[in-house]
Amino acid sequence: MRKTLLAALLAWPMGLLAQNVANYQIVPLPRSIEQHEGSFTLTAQNAAQSVRTHIDPSAKRWAQYTVPDEAYEIEVGKKGIDITAATEAGLFYAQQTLRKAMQMPEASLNEVTGEYALPYVTIKDAPQFPYRGVHIDCSRHYFPVEFLKKYIDIIALHGCNVLHWHITDDQGWRFEVKALPDLTAKASRREHTVIGNNCMSGNGEYIFDDTPEMGFYTQDECREIVRYAAERYINVIPEIDLPGHMVAALSVYPELGCTGGPYEVWPLWGISDDVLCAGNDKTLEFLKTVLGELADVFPSKQIHIGGDECPRTRWGSCPKCQAKMRALGMKKAGDLQSYINKELDKFLAQRGRDVIGWDEILEGELSENSIVMSWRGYEGGIEAARKHHRVIMTPTTHCYFDYYQSKERQPLSIGGYVPVSKVYSMEPVPAELTAEESRYILGAQCNLWTEYVLSEDHLQYMLLPRLCAMSEVQWVNPDQKDYTAFTETRLPHMLKIFKKLGYTYSPYVE
Ligand code: ACM
Ligand code: ZN
């Protein structure tokens, strides 16, 4: 009797456990989920015949969506699973939805092991915004290619379609330029890094960590990243931050600075007064060499040319910059940045590219095709949309993932407080804009600067689970966002997936 009971107890729950039940309440929430009575059992044996994909390019079928080329429909019924989309990207998003629903994020549907019960359902889905970006700063700290691939996997899991790759800055040059080999040979290495101030002695001297930080990406490695991302329908937009944030480059080409240097790869964080000399014609020559090679390596239609935080201090007293201003009839030093932007805009336009710049680029004249990345709040984005420039919203208040995410004890961060709830509350289209102006808002992006982020685990911790919230901002129709359902149902489901994949994430959802 005892043995029989034990056998029954063992057999019954095992039978139940063998079948995983798909749950369609995933992140980002699909636009429409109509569940019906019954379920289809997907197994390793029937997967090959039961999962069918269809491309239907008819514009009419997808016309209701703002981003038809990424739309998809899933029908689960008696005969299995039918996935339909206008493009391969749509098919990919449908597969991602099912993988997440089944909690098997790594495998394709044809590689199931065990049994999965998929409740009958009709899912119709498409993203709200065409631009769904995630940024990474690989200058302040270098992260290896294998690690970046994992980062791309994470952003693909969230339905994002852009990796904004910040690849040069004051503290390290990490993009190989074949015509300028010293950039990576020398400027990719920082000898020391600030870790504090000596307040005890009262002299406020900086304290440094003397462990060198180094690394760069060869052009072949960059192409490999582009290829890996493209397989996941992610476009890699590289950024060469200019004409400020250039101290690493100045350390090998001091003649491109207004004072002539010497400079060292910058060991401090913040904004340096040393920027490229806008009056020296060699500066444009240098930038065109860099951007020419960059455009050869990265097929992205958009190239980011930075433009943020460029003090005019040096330009104001530099004879070359002053002479350039006189020659071009400029009234203020800031016009020099606009002059550089225009030249590079023309250069990249000849290569079929559009420039993206941080919102400071609005201070000068912009070509019609320039895209503005609004980071100092929403104001830059509003102004740009009103001037009919395309806009990516990434205000510090909601999108800076280098800020603290909890009031609990946290790893040292640069400052600020952007918890999950704050990210989730982001509205990329400001209410001030008219319907016509709103069309210029391409989407949203979260930014992960890495002054204080040194390891892969730490980077994942800063990203997750805030990226879940950003993913819904980018994908879900604002009318369908629901923070309670997100935190109570969908987020726990995603955390189980993170555990399965071995990702590090913050437990604090505030
Ligand atoms: C920025 O955070 N400096 C764009
Ligand atoms: Zn100068």
Side-chain angles (χ1 to χ4, degrees):
M1 174 67 197
R2 197 173 241 219
K3 203 172 158 199
T4 321
L5 185 61
L6 184 64
L9 277 174
L10 281 175
W12 182 63
M14 292 284 278
L16 261 192
L17 284 176
Q19 204 180 54
N20 306 285
V21 180
N23 173 0
Y24 304 120
Q25 295 297 313
I26 54 138
V27 171
L29 179 69
R31 188 162 294 228
S32 152
I33 304 172
E34 271 181 46
Q35 219 162 299
H36 321 294
E37 197 70 30
S39 66
F40 176 77
T41 304
L42 187 68
T43 66
Q45 289 73 35
N46 72 10
Q49 314 85 271
S50 315
V51 184
R52 293 168 294 270
T53 56
H54 317 272
I55 293 279
D56 179 356
S58 92
K60 201 164 147 222
R61 175 166 185 165
W62 311 104
Q64 59 178 307
Y65 301 115
T66 47
V67 192
D69 54 349
E70 294 180 304
Y72 67 87
E73 291 179 8
I74 298 172
E75 191 72 49
V76 179
K78 259 193 236 130
K79 294 197 181 128
I81 305 165
D82 284 283
I83 297 171
T84 310
T87 67
E88 295 286 335
L91 293 182
F92 174 76
Y93 290 120
Q95 300 244 4
Q96 290 291 74
T97 291
L98 289 171
R99 283 184 192 127
K100 281 182 271 190
M102 294 159 69
Q103 297 223 0
M104 42 165 273
E106 281 178 308
S108 92
L109 296 179
N110 293 330
E111 295 163 350
V112 288
T113 51
E115 287 188 1
Y116 287 84
L118 286 101
Y120 294 158
V121 74
T122 305
I123 295 177
K124 296 185 179 183
D125 194 17
Q128 178 73 5
F129 292 103
Y131 185 106
R132 304 181 299 280
V134 178
H135 154 287
I136 187 170
D137 166 11
C138 289
S139 168
R140 274 51 179 266
H141 285 100
Y142 167 82
F143 298 104
V145 169
E146 282 315 305
F147 165 71
L148 286 177
K149 287 184 177 174
K150 220 185 287 177
Y151 196 78
I152 290 168
D153 288 342
I154 296 174
I155 67 180
L157 184 68
H158 289 79
C160 313
N161 64 356
V162 172
L163 173 68
H164 169 177
W165 197 7
H166 187 83
I167 202 170
T168 67
D169 212 304
D170 296 313
Q171 294 84 2
W173 184 283
R174 315 228 179 268
F175 171 63
E176 178 189 33
V177 181
K178 290 189 193 280
L180 303 166
D182 277 355
L183 279 173
T184 40
K186 297 181 180 162
S188 67
R189 180 181 168 103
R190 180 170 76 243
E191 293 305 329
H192 40 233
T193 298
V194 66
I195 51 169
N197 275 77
N198 195 345
C199 308
M200 299 302 282
S201 69
N203 63 11
E205 278 173 357
Y206 290 116
I207 304 169
F208 293 102
D209 174 342
D210 287 326
T211 311
E213 169 69 21
M214 61 194 142
F216 66 90
Y217 306 98
T218 65
Q219 293 194 355
D220 282 347
E221 285 175 326
C222 293
R223 289 194 171 94
E224 173 62 11
I225 290 290
V226 167
R227 185 200 62 76
Y228 189 86
E231 278 178 6
R232 289 150 183 80
Y233 299 91
I234 291 170
N235 179 36
V236 181
I237 300 180
E239 177 187 358
I240 302 293
D241 203 347
L242 66 97
H245 289 280
M246 270 285 171
V247 176
L250 292 179
S251 73
V252 284
Y253 300 112
E255 67 275 19
L256 300 182
C258 292
T259 65
Y263 309 97
E264 66 169 337
V265 177
W266 213 35
L268 304 181
W269 309 133
I271 303 172
S272 171
D273 278 339
D274 288 310
V275 302
L276 290 173
C277 174
N280 184 345
D281 289 337
K282 281 194 181 150
T283 290
L284 273 177
E285 215 178 286
F286 164 81
L287 290 172
K288 288 178 183 175
T289 303
V290 170
L291 291 175
E293 291 199 25
L294 192 82
D296 286 344
V297 171
F298 291 90
S300 172
K301 170 82 177 154
Q302 301 87 24
I303 300 282
H304 204 306
I305 59 165
D308 59 321
E309 300 174 326
C310 180
R312 320 302 191 200
T313 323
R314 299 282 185 258
W315 293 350
S317 55
C318 166
K320 285 197 188 101
C321 287
Q322 293 301 307
K324 180 66 77 182
M325 284 179 66
R326 278 193 302 276
L328 298 178
M330 292 173 183
K331 296 205 168 50
K332 51 186 197 307
D335 294 341
L336 287 168
Q337 184 165 350
S338 165
Y339 152 74
I340 291 175
N341 285 349
K342 269 198 255 174
E343 287 292 318
L344 298 179
D345 192 334
K346 236 187 315 176
F347 177 80
L348 287 167
Q350 284 159 2
R351 285 154 183 77
R353 314 307 174 89
D354 294 339
V355 304
I356 304 183
W358 298 107
D359 57 48
E360 285 93 332
I361 66 168
L362 276 165
E363 287 160 26
E365 241 178 81
L366 291 187
S367 75
E368 201 185 325
N369 287 334
S370 301
I371 301 169
V372 173
M373 198 167 256
S374 189
W375 72 282
R376 296 176 298 175
Y378 288 89
E379 294 73 18
I382 293 170
E383 181 188 338
R386 286 185 173 148
K387 291 179 174 166
H388 293 185
H389 289 292
R390 289 168 293 166
V391 171
I392 297 151
M393 284 293 191
T394 180
T396 52
T397 45
H398 297 73
C399 300
Y400 269 46
F401 284 13
D402 54 336
Y403 288 9
Y404 288 103
Q405 59 192 310
S406 172
K407 293 189 170 157
E408 300 295 327
R409 235 173 118 129
Q410 291 288 291
L412 181 67
S413 292
I414 200 148
Y417 177 54
V418 176
V420 171
S421 57
K422 186 78 183 179
V423 179
Y424 199 86
S425 71
M426 187 204 176
E427 175 45 73
V429 180
E432 294 94 317
L433 294 182
T434 64
E436 160 67 13
E437 290 160 350
S438 300
R439 293 193 303 116
Y440 290 92
I441 309 294
L442 298 180
Q445 173 174 295
C446 51
N447 294 338
L448 192 26
W449 303 100
T450 60
E451 283 93 336
Y452 294 94
V453 181
L454 279 73
S455 71
E456 178 170 11
D457 276 353
H458 190 175
L459 199 68
Q460 288 180 2
Y461 183 92
M462 301 308 277
L463 191 64
L464 302 175
R466 286 188 283 195
L467 187 55
C468 291
M470 178 48 63
S471 158
E472 295 226 339
V473 168
Q474 294 172 334
W475 189 286
V476 177
N477 182 326
D479 296 344
Q480 290 181 280
K481 279 168 67 189
D482 176 344
Y483 188 62
T484 305
F486 170 75
T487 49
E488 289 180 359
T489 310
R490 303 197 288 283
L491 194 55
H493 183 96
M494 291 301 283
L495 297 186
K496 282 190 211 155
I497 292 177
F498 295 163
K499 274 204 189 104
K500 245 182 200 178
L501 291 169
Y503 295 157
T504 302
Y505 59 89
S506 163
Y508 303 108
V509 176
E510 296 172 7

